[in-house]
Amino acid sequence: IFQDPETAIRFSKSGKYGVYNMQTNKVFVNPEYDEIQPFRGTMFLVKKNGVLGVVDKSGTATIAPQYE
């Protein structure tokens, strides 16, 4: 478990990472990523299948994982 600003906790399930919102008690980034790092505010840098992208707090890939 890794706590981030904005009441978000990154978590691992079956070897994949997601983000849980402590205020709403809901997962807002499903555990489907190999790695998740805080990026800026409520956005997260994600790694999936060896490529990087950015996911926002709604779980939407604002930049789909496609960059090395």
Side-chain angles (χ1 to χ4, degrees):
I1 298 173
F2 310 93
Q3 188 165 353
D4 297 319
E6 304 295 326
T7 68
I9 294 178
R10 290 175 282 161
F11 69 94
S12 175
K13 182 176 181 182
S14 300
K16 298 293 182 179
Y17 292 89
V19 184
Y20 182 83
N21 184 319
M22 296 183 318
Q23 287 183 327
T24 63
N25 294 321
K26 294 182 181 179
V27 171
F28 63 89
V29 176
N30 289 322
E32 60 183 271
Y33 297 100
D34 302 323
E35 196 174 310
I36 295 180
Q37 298 297 324
F39 183 58
R40 177 174 277 180
T42 56
M43 300 180 83
F44 298 88
L45 181 66
V46 296
K47 188 175 202 177
K48 186 173 186 179
N49 300 324
V51 291
L52 299 171
V54 176
V55 174
D56 66 17
K57 71 176 184 174
S58 70
T60 302
T62 55
I63 300 174
Q66 59 185 323
Y67 298 98
E68 293 182 0

